[in-house]
Every structure is written in structure tokens, then in C-alpha cells.
Short mmCIF file of all heavy atoms in Angstrom, two decimals:
data_model
loop_
_atom_site.label_atom_id
_atom_site.label_comp_id
_atom_site.label_asym_id
_atom_site.label_seq_id
_atom_site.Cartn_x
_atom_site.Cartn_y
_atom_site.Cartn_z
N ILE A 179 -42.65 -8.35 87.17
CA ILE A 179 -43.44 -9.22 88.04
C ILE A 179 -42.88 -10.64 88.01
O ILE A 179 -42.80 -11.32 89.04
CB ILE A 179 -44.92 -9.21 87.63
CG1 ILE A 179 -45.55 -7.84 87.94
CG2 ILE A 179 -45.70 -10.30 88.34
CD1 ILE A 179 -46.98 -7.69 87.48
N ARG A 180 -42.48 -11.11 86.85
CA ARG A 180 -41.92 -12.46 86.74
C ARG A 180 -40.64 -12.59 87.57
O ARG A 180 -40.42 -13.62 88.21
CB ARG A 180 -41.62 -12.80 85.28
CG ARG A 180 -41.03 -14.19 85.09
CD ARG A 180 -40.99 -14.58 83.63
NE ARG A 180 -40.24 -13.64 82.83
CZ ARG A 180 -40.02 -13.80 81.51
NH1 ARG A 180 -40.53 -14.85 80.90
NH2 ARG A 180 -39.34 -12.91 80.83
N GLU A 181 -39.81 -11.55 87.58
CA GLU A 181 -38.61 -11.58 88.41
C GLU A 181 -38.98 -11.70 89.88
O GLU A 181 -38.33 -12.43 90.65
CB GLU A 181 -37.79 -10.30 88.18
CG GLU A 181 -37.17 -10.21 86.80
CD GLU A 181 -36.49 -8.87 86.58
OE1 GLU A 181 -36.38 -8.10 87.55
OE2 GLU A 181 -36.06 -8.60 85.44
N VAL A 182 -40.02 -10.97 90.30
CA VAL A 182 -40.47 -11.02 91.69
C VAL A 182 -41.01 -12.42 92.02
O VAL A 182 -40.76 -12.97 93.09
CB VAL A 182 -41.55 -9.96 91.95
CG1 VAL A 182 -42.19 -10.15 93.31
CG2 VAL A 182 -40.96 -8.56 91.84
N MET A 183 -41.77 -13.01 91.08
CA MET A 183 -42.40 -14.29 91.34
C MET A 183 -41.40 -15.44 91.42
O MET A 183 -41.72 -16.51 91.92
CB MET A 183 -43.44 -14.58 90.27
CG MET A 183 -44.67 -13.68 90.36
SD MET A 183 -45.85 -13.96 89.04
CE MET A 183 -46.38 -15.63 89.39
N ARG A 184 -40.18 -15.25 90.94
CA ARG A 184 -39.16 -16.27 91.07
C ARG A 184 -38.69 -16.40 92.52
O ARG A 184 -38.15 -17.42 92.91
CB ARG A 184 -37.97 -15.93 90.18
CG ARG A 184 -38.23 -16.17 88.69
CD ARG A 184 -37.11 -15.68 87.84
NE ARG A 184 -37.38 -15.87 86.41
CZ ARG A 184 -36.69 -15.28 85.45
NH1 ARG A 184 -35.71 -14.46 85.75
NH2 ARG A 184 -36.99 -15.50 84.19
N GLU A 185 -38.88 -15.33 93.27
CA GLU A 185 -38.47 -15.37 94.66
C GLU A 185 -39.49 -16.17 95.47
O GLU A 185 -40.68 -16.15 95.18
CB GLU A 185 -38.37 -13.95 95.22
CG GLU A 185 -37.43 -13.04 94.43
CD GLU A 185 -37.48 -11.61 94.92
OE1 GLU A 185 -38.02 -11.39 96.02
OE2 GLU A 185 -36.98 -10.73 94.20
N PRO A 186 -39.04 -16.89 96.49
CA PRO A 186 -40.00 -17.65 97.31
C PRO A 186 -40.88 -16.72 98.13
O PRO A 186 -40.48 -15.62 98.48
CB PRO A 186 -39.09 -18.50 98.21
CG PRO A 186 -37.80 -17.74 98.28
CD PRO A 186 -37.65 -17.07 96.95
N HIS A 187 -42.10 -17.21 98.42
CA HIS A 187 -43.03 -16.48 99.28
C HIS A 187 -43.37 -15.10 98.72
O HIS A 187 -43.29 -14.10 99.43
CB HIS A 187 -42.47 -16.34 100.70
CG HIS A 187 -41.96 -17.63 101.26
ND1 HIS A 187 -42.75 -18.74 101.45
CD2 HIS A 187 -40.71 -17.98 101.67
CE1 HIS A 187 -42.03 -19.73 101.95
NE2 HIS A 187 -40.78 -19.30 102.09
N TRP A 188 -43.71 -15.03 97.44
CA TRP A 188 -44.07 -13.74 96.86
C TRP A 188 -45.37 -13.25 97.49
O TRP A 188 -46.20 -14.02 97.93
CB TRP A 188 -44.19 -13.82 95.35
CG TRP A 188 -45.38 -14.59 94.86
CD1 TRP A 188 -45.53 -15.94 94.76
CD2 TRP A 188 -46.59 -14.02 94.39
NE1 TRP A 188 -46.76 -16.25 94.28
CE2 TRP A 188 -47.44 -15.11 94.03
CE3 TRP A 188 -47.05 -12.71 94.25
CZ2 TRP A 188 -48.71 -14.92 93.53
CZ3 TRP A 188 -48.31 -12.52 93.74
CH2 TRP A 188 -49.14 -13.61 93.39
N SER A 189 -45.55 -11.95 97.52
CA SER A 189 -46.65 -11.35 98.25
C SER A 189 -47.13 -10.09 97.55
O SER A 189 -46.57 -9.67 96.53
CB SER A 189 -46.21 -11.01 99.68
OG SER A 189 -45.15 -10.05 99.63
N ARG A 190 -48.18 -9.49 98.13
CA ARG A 190 -48.71 -8.24 97.61
C ARG A 190 -47.62 -7.17 97.58
O ARG A 190 -47.52 -6.38 96.65
CB ARG A 190 -49.88 -7.77 98.48
CG ARG A 190 -50.42 -6.40 98.10
CD ARG A 190 -51.50 -5.94 99.05
NE ARG A 190 -52.64 -6.84 99.07
CZ ARG A 190 -53.76 -6.58 99.74
NH1 ARG A 190 -53.87 -5.48 100.45
NH2 ARG A 190 -54.76 -7.45 99.72
N GLU A 191 -46.80 -7.13 98.61
CA GLU A 191 -45.74 -6.12 98.70
C GLU A 191 -44.75 -6.25 97.55
O GLU A 191 -44.27 -5.25 97.01
CB GLU A 191 -45.00 -6.23 100.04
CG GLU A 191 -45.80 -5.77 101.25
CD GLU A 191 -46.93 -6.73 101.61
OE1 GLU A 191 -46.83 -7.93 101.24
OE2 GLU A 191 -47.92 -6.27 102.22
N LYS A 192 -44.46 -7.48 97.16
CA LYS A 192 -43.50 -7.69 96.07
C LYS A 192 -44.09 -7.29 94.72
O LYS A 192 -43.39 -6.74 93.87
CB LYS A 192 -43.03 -9.14 96.06
CG LYS A 192 -42.12 -9.47 97.25
CD LYS A 192 -41.64 -10.90 97.20
CE LYS A 192 -40.71 -11.18 98.38
NZ LYS A 192 -40.24 -12.59 98.39
N ILE A 193 -45.39 -7.54 94.51
CA ILE A 193 -46.03 -7.10 93.28
C ILE A 193 -46.08 -5.58 93.24
O ILE A 193 -45.82 -4.96 92.20
CB ILE A 193 -47.45 -7.68 93.16
CG1 ILE A 193 -47.39 -9.21 93.15
CG2 ILE A 193 -48.12 -7.17 91.90
CD1 ILE A 193 -46.68 -9.80 91.97
N ASN A 194 -46.39 -4.95 94.37
CA ASN A 194 -46.37 -3.49 94.44
C ASN A 194 -44.98 -2.97 94.15
O ASN A 194 -44.81 -1.95 93.47
CB ASN A 194 -46.82 -3.03 95.84
CG ASN A 194 -48.33 -2.87 95.94
OD1 ASN A 194 -48.99 -2.54 94.96
ND2 ASN A 194 -48.87 -3.15 97.11
N HIS A 195 -43.97 -3.67 94.66
CA HIS A 195 -42.58 -3.26 94.40
C HIS A 195 -42.27 -3.32 92.91
O HIS A 195 -41.62 -2.41 92.36
CB HIS A 195 -41.62 -4.17 95.18
CG HIS A 195 -40.18 -3.89 94.89
ND1 HIS A 195 -39.54 -2.74 95.34
CD2 HIS A 195 -39.24 -4.59 94.18
CE1 HIS A 195 -38.28 -2.77 94.94
NE2 HIS A 195 -38.08 -3.87 94.23
N ALA A 196 -42.75 -4.36 92.24
CA ALA A 196 -42.54 -4.49 90.79
C ALA A 196 -43.19 -3.32 90.05
O ALA A 196 -42.60 -2.75 89.12
CB ALA A 196 -43.12 -5.81 90.30
N LEU A 197 -44.40 -2.95 90.44
CA LEU A 197 -45.10 -1.84 89.78
C LEU A 197 -44.42 -0.51 90.07
O LEU A 197 -44.29 0.35 89.19
CB LEU A 197 -46.56 -1.80 90.25
CG LEU A 197 -47.45 -2.93 89.74
CD1 LEU A 197 -48.78 -2.93 90.46
CD2 LEU A 197 -47.66 -2.82 88.24
N ASN A 198 -43.99 -0.31 91.31
CA ASN A 198 -43.34 0.96 91.68
C ASN A 198 -41.99 1.13 91.00
O ASN A 198 -41.62 2.24 90.62
CB ASN A 198 -43.19 1.03 93.20
CG ASN A 198 -44.49 1.42 93.89
OD1 ASN A 198 -45.03 2.49 93.68
ND2 ASN A 198 -45.02 0.51 94.70
N THR A 199 -41.25 0.03 90.83
CA THR A 199 -39.92 0.15 90.21
C THR A 199 -40.01 0.36 88.70
O THR A 199 -39.03 0.83 88.09
CB THR A 199 -39.08 -1.11 90.50
OG1 THR A 199 -39.82 -2.28 90.13
CG2 THR A 199 -38.70 -1.17 91.96
N THR A 200 -41.13 0.01 88.08
CA THR A 200 -41.30 0.27 86.65
C THR A 200 -42.12 1.55 86.39
O THR A 200 -42.33 1.92 85.23
CB THR A 200 -42.03 -0.91 85.96
OG1 THR A 200 -43.27 -1.16 86.63
CG2 THR A 200 -41.17 -2.16 85.98
N LEU A 201 -42.56 2.21 87.44
CA LEU A 201 -43.42 3.39 87.29
C LEU A 201 -42.70 4.51 86.54
O LEU A 201 -43.29 5.18 85.70
CB LEU A 201 -43.88 3.88 88.67
CG LEU A 201 -44.93 4.98 88.68
CD1 LEU A 201 -46.22 4.51 88.02
CD2 LEU A 201 -45.22 5.43 90.12
N SER A 202 -41.43 4.70 86.85
CA SER A 202 -40.66 5.76 86.19
C SER A 202 -40.61 5.54 84.69
O SER A 202 -40.88 6.45 83.89
CB SER A 202 -39.24 5.81 86.75
OG SER A 202 -38.44 6.71 86.03
N ARG A 203 -40.29 4.31 84.29
CA ARG A 203 -40.21 3.99 82.87
C ARG A 203 -41.58 4.14 82.20
O ARG A 203 -41.71 4.68 81.12
CB ARG A 203 -39.68 2.57 82.71
CG ARG A 203 -39.48 2.15 81.25
CD ARG A 203 -40.67 1.37 80.75
NE ARG A 203 -40.52 1.06 79.34
CZ ARG A 203 -41.55 0.85 78.53
NH1 ARG A 203 -42.78 0.96 78.98
NH2 ARG A 203 -41.35 0.55 77.27
N THR A 204 -42.64 3.67 82.87
CA THR A 204 -43.99 3.73 82.32
C THR A 204 -44.43 5.17 82.06
O THR A 204 -44.89 5.51 80.97
CB THR A 204 -44.98 3.05 83.28
OG1 THR A 204 -44.62 1.68 83.43
CG2 THR A 204 -46.40 3.14 82.76
N LEU A 205 -44.27 6.03 83.08
CA LEU A 205 -44.73 7.41 82.95
C LEU A 205 -43.86 8.22 82.00
O LEU A 205 -44.36 9.05 81.23
CB LEU A 205 -44.79 8.07 84.33
CG LEU A 205 -45.82 7.47 85.30
CD1 LEU A 205 -45.84 8.24 86.61
CD2 LEU A 205 -47.23 7.46 84.68
N ASN A 206 -42.56 8.01 82.03
CA ASN A 206 -41.67 8.74 81.12
C ASN A 206 -41.98 8.41 79.67
O ASN A 206 -42.00 9.31 78.81
CB ASN A 206 -40.20 8.42 81.43
CG ASN A 206 -39.69 9.17 82.64
OD1 ASN A 206 -40.17 10.26 82.94
ND2 ASN A 206 -38.73 8.60 83.34
N THR A 207 -42.22 7.12 79.39
CA THR A 207 -42.57 6.73 78.02
C THR A 207 -43.89 7.37 77.60
O THR A 207 -44.03 7.86 76.48
CB THR A 207 -42.67 5.20 77.92
OG1 THR A 207 -41.43 4.62 78.32
CG2 THR A 207 -42.99 4.76 76.50
N SER A 208 -44.86 7.36 78.51
CA SER A 208 -46.16 7.95 78.19
C SER A 208 -46.06 9.45 77.94
O SER A 208 -46.65 9.97 76.99
CB SER A 208 -47.15 7.68 79.34
OG SER A 208 -47.34 6.30 79.52
N PHE A 209 -45.30 10.15 78.77
CA PHE A 209 -45.17 11.60 78.63
C PHE A 209 -44.48 11.97 77.32
O PHE A 209 -44.89 12.90 76.63
CB PHE A 209 -44.40 12.19 79.81
CG PHE A 209 -45.18 12.18 81.10
CD1 PHE A 209 -44.52 12.10 82.33
CD2 PHE A 209 -46.56 12.24 81.10
CE1 PHE A 209 -45.24 12.08 83.51
CE2 PHE A 209 -47.29 12.22 82.29
CZ PHE A 209 -46.62 12.14 83.50
N THR A 210 -43.40 11.25 76.97
CA THR A 210 -42.70 11.57 75.72
C THR A 210 -43.58 11.25 74.51
O THR A 210 -43.57 12.00 73.52
CB THR A 210 -41.38 10.80 75.63
OG1 THR A 210 -41.62 9.39 75.85
CG2 THR A 210 -40.38 11.30 76.65
N THR A 211 -44.33 10.15 74.57
CA THR A 211 -45.25 9.81 73.47
C THR A 211 -46.35 10.86 73.35
O THR A 211 -46.68 11.31 72.24
CB THR A 211 -45.87 8.43 73.70
OG1 THR A 211 -44.85 7.46 73.90
CG2 THR A 211 -46.72 8.01 72.52
N LEU A 212 -46.90 11.28 74.48
CA LEU A 212 -47.95 12.30 74.46
C LEU A 212 -47.45 13.62 73.90
O LEU A 212 -48.19 14.33 73.21
CB LEU A 212 -48.50 12.50 75.87
CG LEU A 212 -49.53 11.48 76.36
CD1 LEU A 212 -49.84 11.70 77.84
CD2 LEU A 212 -50.81 11.56 75.54
N ALA A 213 -46.20 13.97 74.20
CA ALA A 213 -45.65 15.24 73.71
C ALA A 213 -45.69 15.28 72.18
O ALA A 213 -46.06 16.30 71.57
CB ALA A 213 -44.22 15.42 74.21
N VAL A 214 -45.34 14.15 71.55
CA VAL A 214 -45.36 14.07 70.09
C VAL A 214 -46.80 14.10 69.57
O VAL A 214 -47.13 14.85 68.63
CB VAL A 214 -44.66 12.79 69.62
CG1 VAL A 214 -44.76 12.65 68.10
CG2 VAL A 214 -43.20 12.80 70.04
N LEU A 215 -47.67 13.31 70.19
CA LEU A 215 -49.05 13.21 69.72
C LEU A 215 -49.80 14.53 69.85
O LEU A 215 -50.55 14.93 68.95
CB LEU A 215 -49.79 12.11 70.49
CG LEU A 215 -49.27 10.68 70.31
CD1 LEU A 215 -50.08 9.72 71.17
CD2 LEU A 215 -49.34 10.26 68.85
N VAL A 216 -49.62 15.21 70.98
CA VAL A 216 -50.30 16.49 71.19
C VAL A 216 -49.81 17.53 70.20
O VAL A 216 -50.59 18.34 69.68
CB VAL A 216 -50.11 16.97 72.65
CG1 VAL A 216 -50.60 18.40 72.81
CG2 VAL A 216 -50.83 16.05 73.62
N THR A 217 -48.50 17.52 69.90
CA THR A 217 -47.95 18.46 68.91
C THR A 217 -48.58 18.24 67.54
O THR A 217 -48.98 19.20 66.87
CB THR A 217 -46.43 18.28 68.82
OG1 THR A 217 -45.84 18.51 70.10
CG2 THR A 217 -45.83 19.27 67.82
N ILE A 218 -48.68 16.96 67.13
CA ILE A 218 -49.31 16.67 65.84
C ILE A 218 -50.80 17.02 65.87
O ILE A 218 -51.35 17.53 64.89
CB ILE A 218 -49.12 15.18 65.47
CG1 ILE A 218 -47.64 14.84 65.38
CG2 ILE A 218 -49.81 14.86 64.15
CD1 ILE A 218 -47.35 13.37 65.14
N PHE A 219 -51.45 16.76 67.01
CA PHE A 219 -52.87 17.08 67.14
C PHE A 219 -53.12 18.58 66.95
O PHE A 219 -54.08 18.98 66.30
CB PHE A 219 -53.36 16.65 68.52
CG PHE A 219 -54.80 16.98 68.79
CD1 PHE A 219 -55.81 16.17 68.31
CD2 PHE A 219 -55.15 18.10 69.54
CE1 PHE A 219 -57.15 16.47 68.55
CE2 PHE A 219 -56.47 18.41 69.79
CZ PHE A 219 -57.48 17.59 69.29
N ILE A 220 -52.24 19.40 67.49
CA ILE A 220 -52.43 20.86 67.42
C ILE A 220 -52.02 21.41 66.06
O ILE A 220 -52.74 22.22 65.47
CB ILE A 220 -51.62 21.55 68.54
CG1 ILE A 220 -52.17 21.14 69.92
CG2 ILE A 220 -51.68 23.08 68.38
CD1 ILE A 220 -51.32 21.62 71.08
N PHE A 221 -50.88 20.96 65.54
CA PHE A 221 -50.32 21.58 64.33
C PHE A 221 -50.43 20.71 63.08
O PHE A 221 -50.05 21.15 62.00
CB PHE A 221 -48.83 21.90 64.56
CG PHE A 221 -48.59 22.84 65.71
CD1 PHE A 221 -48.04 22.37 66.90
CD2 PHE A 221 -48.91 24.19 65.60
CE1 PHE A 221 -47.81 23.24 67.96
CE2 PHE A 221 -48.69 25.06 66.66
CZ PHE A 221 -48.14 24.58 67.85
N GLY A 222 -50.96 19.49 63.20
CA GLY A 222 -50.95 18.58 62.06
C GLY A 222 -52.06 18.76 61.06
O GLY A 222 -52.10 18.07 60.05
#
């Protein structure tokens, strides 16, 4: 978001763009973390 805000005339579309471009990293990290936690929950 900070990178987007450095650009002039930032808008809702640019904030959405920031969220969409980090969505892959956010969900992948969550899924890999959950895989470990669920395994320990079941077998720990």
C-alpha cells in the first residue's frame, strides 16, 4: 500500500491493486501454516 501511495492521485483502485497483488502471498502463507497446524492438531 505504501508503494501505491507514493504515486500521485492514489485511489480506491490502487489500494485494491495492492491487496490483489499480495493476495497470492497471503493465501499461500496461510495455507502452508494451516497444513502444519492441522497435522499437529490431529496427530499431536
Side-chain angles (χ1 to χ4, degrees):
I179 291 176
R180 180 169 57 178
E181 292 175 8
V182 171
M183 290 177 65
R184 285 173 182 166
E185 304 173 15
H187 311 299
W188 71 280
S189 62
R190 175 185 299 186
E191 288 71 24
K192 289 181 178 178
I193 300 296
N194 273 328
H195 175 71
L197 290 170
N198 281 298
T199 52
T200 55
L201 188 62
S202 173
R203 183 263 176 206
T204 299
L205 295 183
N206 282 332
T207 302
S208 299
F209 289 152
T210 52
T211 306
L212 280 172
V214 176
L215 296 178
V216 170
T217 301
I218 300 175
F219 178 81
I220 296 172
F221 301 107

